[in-house]
Amino acid sequence: MIYVKDNLFALHTENVSYVFRVTDTLHLEHLHFGGKITLDGDSIPALMEKREFLNGNLNAYDREHGTLSLENYLLEMSAYGKGDIREPFVDIIYADGSSTSDFLYDGYKVLHEKSEYDTLPGSYSDYGRSEQLILYLKERYSDIVMELHYYVYERCDVICRSTKLRNESMQAVTLKRLMSAQVDFDDSDYIFTHFNGAWIREMNRVDNTVTAGRFVNASYTGTSSSRANPFVMLSRRETSQNFGECYGFNLIYSGNHYEAVDVGSFSKLRFVNGINPQGFSYTVGPGERFEAPESVMSYSDKGFNGLSGNMHEFVREHIVRGTWKYKERPVLLNSWEAAYFDINEEKLLRLAKAGAEVGVELFVVDDGWFGERNDDTSSLGDWKASEKKLPGGIRGIADKVKALGLKFGIWVEPEMVNVNSRLYEMHPEWVVDIPGRTHSEGRNQRILDMVNKDVQNYVIETMSRLISSADISYVKWDMNRTFTDYYSKCLPPERQGEMAHRYVVGLYHCMKTLTGRFPDILFEGCASGGNRFDLGILCYFPQIWASDNTDAMCRARIQEGYSYGYPMLALGAHVSACPNRQTLRNTPLWTRFNVAAFALCGYECNLCEMSEEELEEVKEQIDIYKEWRSVLQFGDFYRYDENGAGYVSWTCVGRDKRYAAGLLLQGLAQPNMPDKRFVARGLRPDAKYHFYNIKFKIRSDSGNMQADTETEDYHVYGDVLMNSGVRLSQGFAATGYNERVRVFPDFASRIYFMEEE
Ligand code: GLA
């Protein structure tokens, strides 16, 4: 709900309020972002900042407002030059060379219909609400208009912001930065959490105690980056998974992003997020406009799980769209870890057949099927099947896969080209490089300049031709190198600072056109795993390959990292072979499944090399997953962090709370272990549930020890499961064993199901 009274603006969701006002000087003073508050005409005096005297050594805004310093004020947006020296929201260089901006309030509008976006994807609403507040600000000495847009998503306690800038003057200005959101907090007693990483090591939660000065989480790879995901949090020291205050921020953007916290001299904390200003500059000519990506903000006083719940609901309802939004995702078998580049029709069909026999629904031919692609040194750009490997072309193999009762999917990397390719021979001018300089190398490939309209059209038409050439149901859209030598030959020298952003805009144009043309195709985003895992991609592609790391132990941590800001419905997760290709670790097949089952479960291993016993297990796993995937894919996901060191524990609860699944996963086994409980989350306290475990055979590596899993079977109320938990069977303690003992060697895990009775 949007409430406007005189100079007061309040945005209310079910549990959260976001409030600001217009000051006498026509600035926007931020008053509150947090738990819901009731406001009327008397509220402002209590909420506003009091100033009788100017603090020493500060600059007053102007002569008439001698006690007001913008350096010590909570603001909705800020600029350099009028006293505020903290992280700015906007930075513009004007035609006269000056760079002081003073944006002042100039009216507002409330819209009940969501307006169309120009160039960037944004959140949307299917049902009723799409209230939008637009604040118009005008720069005091120039005709530059800034629009601050606010969107309210009541049910998930999310408020989004975006910024647009219009140049109504006669002269061009240079934009050095335009942030998407700014939130000023009264104090700095916060933990700033970001998720850092690398290839096959994505989404490590890092908690930074905020002190004075600045802390920046940002991406420089041209993508949203596995090094620093755009999702970040601010929380109190005492905040835990289920208790305490926390704020979450994300950006609907797939390029270089920037999230900064800045604590100024008066211990106020400023948060901003938006496009990374590093290397960015954008000329906005007379009559032109610039749109910054949408920022997503949420608050919860129910701990990290509460915040994640808001974000999950928001992404499911207001980001993911199209045919697959509410549709169960298929169990796929991907050829990559099964065969890498060494593929041919016969081998692929053998694999597909083995997949069909265990219940796989979709067979995906990954890299290696086109041109002369036998390793990563050639052929990107030549999207025609290798006649040697696939004599019947894509159509031939697709038909044969279909005849096995499977859907067919394919891997592509449309934004890239190898120098060793026909495409590069024809269009060397299409790649991102700086004329006359040597280019840095990344996976032997170059990035196509998506700023170039011809390149965009090439991508759209080539992909359209490929997708229509056979009965294709799924496309994995990969992007395997990061940017160096930023340069677009389509832009004049003074506009090169626009390149990285214009690339993202070009990419979105292609994604929008293709997903519009092929609405039923299931697209899965990918960038060397999670190098472009963000809300911008999820606006077009309903799922993303979360990491090239398929080791169950690493995956549990990576998936848990994503779960802070993203629903499990967005994450591809595959069972692969052991020893694992990324860590050389052996983990039980059931553990590999148990972890993958909490996201979009697929298989990526050579089923043809598996033993009868293993294939039986895989078949059982797929049956279980199919039966439970409506819960596991669309359910509410909770982390449990008090389960003792070395354990991972999750609960996923179906939307109607009638069914739930829990995971208990152990790292290295400790001898003579303490007893264990399983504690659930998110159930109906007054509903009675049947709690039981999946039963399977536990095999040691050498095969000389076999045991059946213990039986857990209880009938208890939801409040028992949540407030007390189930005391599980005694763990193996080296003093005896029978069928009631929980054999829990290294990397053991269990799934517990809960069904309302
Ligand atoms: C990237 C992807 C992998 C696989 C390979 C193929 O690394 O993340 O899943 O598709 O490319 O080259």
Side-chain angles (χ1 to χ4, degrees):
M1 198 196 89
I2 294 172
Y3 172 83
V4 182
K5 181 138 200 308
D6 305 327
N7 287 334
L8 184 74
F9 295 86
L11 311 168
H12 298 292
T13 65
E14 273 179 16
N15 304 295
V16 173
S17 300
Y18 185 103
V19 188
F20 55 94
R21 69 162 188 131
V22 181
T23 66
D24 298 346
T25 52
L26 301 179
H27 293 97
L28 299 179
E29 181 187 359
H30 177 80
L31 299 176
H32 174 79
F33 178 28
K36 199 160 185 173
I37 56 177
T38 309
L39 298 162
D40 62 18
D42 298 331
S43 312
I44 291 188
L47 290 175
M48 64 187 254
E49 195 103 55
K50 320 294 184 297
R51 288 283 174 275
E52 293 299 321
F53 299 96
L54 189 68
N55 300 63
N57 197 230
L58 297 190
N59 292 312
Y61 171 60
D62 62 11
R63 199 180 285 275
E64 292 92 90
H65 304 90
T67 63
L68 168 72
S69 168
L70 295 177
E71 184 180 341
N72 188 13
Y73 222 60
L74 302 175
L75 295 165
E76 274 303 285
M77 60 95 17
S78 64
Y80 276 140
K82 301 304 290 178
D84 190 356
I85 52 169
R86 295 167 293 173
E87 190 75 34
F89 183 80
V90 64
D91 189 1
I92 298 173
I93 301 180
Y94 294 91
D96 64 0
S98 67
S99 57
T100 291
S101 292
D102 194 11
F103 282 93
L104 301 178
Y105 175 73
D106 191 34
Y108 77 97
K109 197 152 80 182
V110 174
L111 292 181
H112 293 280
E113 286 299 305
K114 183 107 187 234
S115 58
E116 256 307 300
Y117 277 79
D118 302 342
T119 46
L120 296 171
S123 60
Y124 77 107
S125 190
D126 271 348
Y127 49 78
R129 189 249 59 96
S130 209
E131 271 189 311
Q132 182 182 169
L133 171 67
I134 308 176
L135 268 280
Y136 297 93
L137 309 179
K138 202 157 165 294
E139 208 284 318
R140 191 166 175 181
Y141 295 104
S142 66
D143 289 320
I144 306 293
V145 176
M146 184 188 291
E147 296 175 12
L148 301 180
H149 292 239
Y150 298 81
Y151 317 95
V152 185
Y153 295 102
E154 294 192 17
R155 286 204 341 219
C156 50
D157 291 329
V158 165
I159 291 164
C160 294
R161 276 183 71 165
S162 71
T163 317
K164 292 166 208 238
L165 198 96
R166 275 187 280 129
N167 183 351
E168 294 183 350
S169 76
M170 305 299 284
Q171 285 164 314
V173 297
T174 306
L175 202 50
K176 299 292 293 172
R177 75 154 70 189
L178 182 65
M179 290 289 111
S180 299
Q182 168 178 329
V183 182
D184 282 0
F185 294 86
D186 280 281
D187 68 88
S188 60
D189 194 11
Y190 287 95
I191 305 289
F192 180 64
T193 299
H194 67 120
F195 294 86
N196 112 322
W199 176 66
I200 62 172
R201 198 156 35 75
E202 292 88 346
M203 293 304 280
N204 300 285
R205 177 179 150 179
V206 183
D207 295 335
N208 306 276
T209 304
V210 174
T211 49
R214 286 181 196 184
F215 185 92
V216 170
N217 174 70
S219 142
Y220 306 89
T221 53
T223 59
S224 47
S225 171
S226 50
R227 284 65 162 177
N229 193 272
F231 175 72
V232 297
M233 304 189 292
L234 279 168
S235 61
R236 296 297 189 180
R237 277 164 217 267
E238 63 276 11
T239 303
S240 64
Q241 293 295 355
N242 298 307
F243 302 99
E245 289 193 299
C246 52
Y247 296 84
F249 301 92
N250 208 340
L251 202 61
I252 307 180
Y253 193 58
S254 307
N256 290 332
H257 59 87
Y258 181 81
E259 294 74 32
V261 284
D262 184 0
V263 178
S265 307
F266 299 91
S267 287
K268 292 181 164 73
L269 182 152
R270 169 165 299 164
F271 172 82
V272 296
N273 69 352
I275 294 174
N276 191 344
Q278 167 74 41
F280 171 86
S281 76
Y282 207 101
T283 305
V284 187
E288 290 178 358
R289 50 194 268 134
F290 181 82
E291 182 191 11
E294 197 174 311
S295 173
V296 179
M297 317 186 291
S298 186
Y299 163 84
S300 174
D301 61 3
K302 298 192 172 54
F304 299 119
N305 274 328
L307 181 74
S308 300
N310 296 348
M311 288 297 183
H312 295 177
E313 176 76 358
F314 171 76
V315 175
R316 282 189 301 238
E317 289 298 329
H318 306 294
I319 293 292
V320 175
R321 59 204 74 188
T323 307
W324 289 92
K325 179 171 177 164
Y326 299 119
K327 209 167 157 182
E328 287 182 13
R329 310 289 164 80
V331 178
L332 67 79
L333 172 62
N334 179 300
S335 67
W336 182 241
E337 282 201 28
Y340 295 102
F341 292 105
D342 187 16
I343 51 173
N344 58 52
E345 189 176 282
E346 196 200 323
K347 200 167 172 182
L348 290 170
L349 287 175
R350 238 185 299 130
L351 185 59
K353 186 160 172 289
E357 280 165 8
V358 290
V360 162
E361 297 161 305
L362 164 72
F363 181 70
V364 179
V365 177
D366 207 280
D367 200 350
W369 59 267
F370 50 92
E372 302 286 321
R373 184 84 169 164
N374 298 315
D375 53 34
D376 64 16
T377 60
S378 89
S379 301
L380 290 173
D382 300 343
W383 299 110
K384 196 171 167 297
S386 148
E387 282 173 20
K388 231 190 291 155
K389 293 180 183 173
L390 302 175
I394 286 298
R395 178 135 194 196
I397 182 154
D399 285 348
K400 287 174 194 152
V401 166
K402 231 178 107 189
L404 294 168
L406 298 176
K407 300 234 180 261
F408 180 78
I410 195 157
W411 176 96
V412 288
E413 197 178 353
E415 299 154 70
M416 297 288 164
V417 64
N418 286 112
V419 170
N420 186 4
S421 71
R422 303 245 295 280
L423 181 68
Y424 188 83
E425 270 169 37
M426 281 185 318
H427 289 292
E429 79 286 4
W430 277 4
V431 305
V432 174
D433 60 10
I434 311 175
R437 300 200 194 173
T438 54
H439 195 76
S440 295
E441 291 298 333
R443 215 191 184 204
N444 305 300
Q445 62 197 54
R446 299 285 157 91
I447 302 176
L448 289 171
D449 180 9
M450 298 288 270
V451 179
N452 185 337
K453 277 257 163 258
D454 292 341
V455 171
Q456 292 170 21
N457 290 336
Y458 147 84
V459 167
I460 292 168
E461 294 316 323
T462 319
M463 287 304 121
S464 294
R465 238 176 289 127
L466 175 64
I467 296 170
S468 338
S469 72
D471 196 350
I472 293 176
S473 307
Y474 162 105
V475 173
K476 176 172 167 189
W477 181 302
D478 210 340
M479 196 283 190
N480 281 321
R481 75 157 286 181
T482 62
F483 280 70
T484 58
D485 308 88
Y486 285 92
Y487 195 86
S488 171
K489 289 159 207 130
C490 300
L491 296 171
E494 68 280 9
R495 281 187 177 262
Q496 288 301 328
E498 300 176 17
M499 192 264 157
H501 176 64
R502 284 184 183 271
Y503 180 96
V504 179
V505 173
L507 169 69
Y508 287 150
H509 169 66
C510 295
M511 293 166 78
K512 186 172 178 187
T513 311
L514 284 164
T515 49
R517 268 187 205 173
F518 302 100
D520 296 333
I521 297 268
L522 174 59
F523 282 93
E524 177 156 352
C526 176
S528 297
N531 196 42
R532 201 163 61 185
F533 197 109
D534 61 70
L535 299 180
I537 297 295
L538 287 172
C539 282
Y540 299 108
F541 299 167
Q543 61 190 59
I544 303 175
W545 177 230
S547 173
D548 277 356
N549 191 335
T550 53
D551 174 274
M553 299 313 294
C554 296
R555 257 316 179 110
R557 194 203 41 68
I558 292 169
Q559 287 171 212
E560 182 159 303
Y562 281 115
S563 79
Y564 281 88
Y566 302 90
M568 294 299 105
L569 184 62
L571 265 88
H574 299 170
V575 175
S576 64
C578 274
N580 177 269
R581 302 297 189 264
Q582 295 79 42
T583 59
L584 305 177
R585 189 181 356 242
N586 284 307
T587 54
L589 182 52
W590 274 100
T591 287
R592 284 172 260 159
F593 166 74
N594 289 349
V595 171
F598 278 77
L600 302 172
C601 176
Y603 287 75
E604 188 166 332
C605 48
N606 193 350
L607 297 176
C608 304
E609 283 175 358
M610 281 191 168
S611 68
E612 288 282 305
E613 264 177 338
E614 285 176 316
L615 287 172
E616 268 310 306
E617 281 181 11
V618 169
K619 191 167 176 315
E620 206 185 323
Q621 293 169 355
I622 293 177
D623 284 347
I624 292 171
Y625 187 70
K626 285 178 183 166
E627 198 187 325
W628 280 85
R629 73 179 144 191
S630 63
V631 174
L632 292 161
Q633 296 183 351
F634 297 91
D636 295 325
F637 183 89
Y638 300 87
R639 296 166 300 270
Y640 187 75
D641 65 357
E642 295 109 59
N643 225 329
Y647 284 88
V648 174
S649 181
W650 302 329
T651 313
C652 183
V653 185
R655 307 306 293 278
D656 58 8
K657 295 181 186 287
R658 293 184 54 216
Y659 299 93
L663 175 80
L664 181 69
L665 167 67
Q666 174 182 252
L668 291 180
Q670 300 295 323
N672 200 7
M673 318 181 255
D675 294 323
K676 272 247 80 53
R677 279 186 310 158
F678 179 81
V679 181
R681 294 279 169 228
L683 303 173
R684 273 190 30 217
D686 55 349
K688 196 158 182 191
Y689 293 88
H690 178 202
F691 176 101
Y692 63 94
N693 59 333
I694 303 182
K695 305 263 297 159
F696 53 88
K697 278 227 174 316
I698 298 161
R699 274 182 270 112
S700 73
D701 278 351
S702 57
N704 57 12
M705 187 199 157
Q706 285 239 0
D708 286 321
T709 43
E710 70 292 354
T711 301
E712 311 283 2
D713 198 314
Y714 305 101
H715 300 267
V716 280
Y717 282 93
D719 52 11
V720 174
L721 289 165
M722 295 189 292
N723 300 339
S724 183
V726 167
R727 295 209 167 74
L728 301 170
S729 307
Q730 184 182 6
F732 178 73
T735 47
Y737 163 74
N738 67 21
E739 69 285 357
R740 288 184 301 280
V741 166
R742 184 169 41 85
V743 177
F744 233 54
D746 290 351
F747 320 127
S749 65
R750 297 287 186 272
I751 287 185
Y752 303 110
F753 288 128
M754 288 151 268
E755 292 183 37
E756 193 186 325
E757 305 200 303

